[in-house]
């Protein structure tokens, strides 16, 4: 199979027409351009089906605290040494 990007005969990546190296290069460049909020938004949508706004509503509704242990949590992705907000969910069903 010839990669449609680099035109070299290589094994393609998944169902696309690019080889694994070209796919990896594209992903690395694409994700590097995104802001931390954009990255978190995409991850929340893919993993839990939540928009970033849905996440923030839940965060504010819990008074910015963990609903189980009442520890203060933060949404800032760059806060080192603090508890970062995560989404509580069922591991069997994925339900939030």
């Amino acid at each position: 199979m010839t990669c449609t990007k680099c035109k070299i005969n290589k094994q393609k990546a998944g169902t696309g027409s690019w080889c694994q190296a070209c796919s990896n290069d594209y992903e690395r460049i694409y994700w590097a351009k995104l802001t931390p909020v954009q990255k978190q938004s995409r991850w929340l949508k893919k993993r839990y089906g939540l928009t970033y706004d849905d996440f923030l509503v839940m965060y504010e509704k819990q008074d910015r605290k963990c609903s189980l242990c009442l520890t203060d949590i933060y949404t800032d992705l760059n806060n080192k040494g603090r508890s970062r907000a995560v989404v509580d969910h069922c591991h069997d069903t994925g339900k939030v």
Side-chain angles (χ1 to χ4, degrees), residues 20-83:
Q20 189 67 52
C22 289
S23 293
N24 289 348
D25 288 344
Y26 173 79
E27 288 292 320
R28 190 172 17 266
I29 292 167
Y30 172 80
W31 282 96
K33 291 178 182 178
L34 297 178
T35 67
V37 170
Q38 289 173 318
K39 289 176 186 177
Q40 188 177 32
S41 295
R42 284 168 171 72
W43 185 79
L44 286 168
K45 190 66 172 175
K46 180 179 179 181
R47 182 82 164 100
Y48 304 111
L50 293 174
T51 66
Y52 190 68
D53 289 338
D54 292 338
F55 172 77
L56 290 177
V57 166
M58 289 171 52
Y59 176 68
E60 293 298 329
K61 189 175 180 180
Q62 292 177 197
D63 197 27
R64 299 178 180 198
K65 296 182 185 299
C66 172
S67 62
L68 298 175
C69 68
L70 303 178
T71 301
D72 289 341
I73 53 177
Y74 304 90
T75 58
D76 183 0
L77 302 177
N78 297 318
N79 272 318
K80 304 289 185 208
R82 297 188 195 175
S83 299

Side-chain angles (χ1 to χ4, degrees), residues 1 6-7 15 44 54 87 89:
M1 166 89 203
C6 68
K7 309 296 185 209
T15 59
L44 286 168
D54 292 338
V87 176
H89 64 284

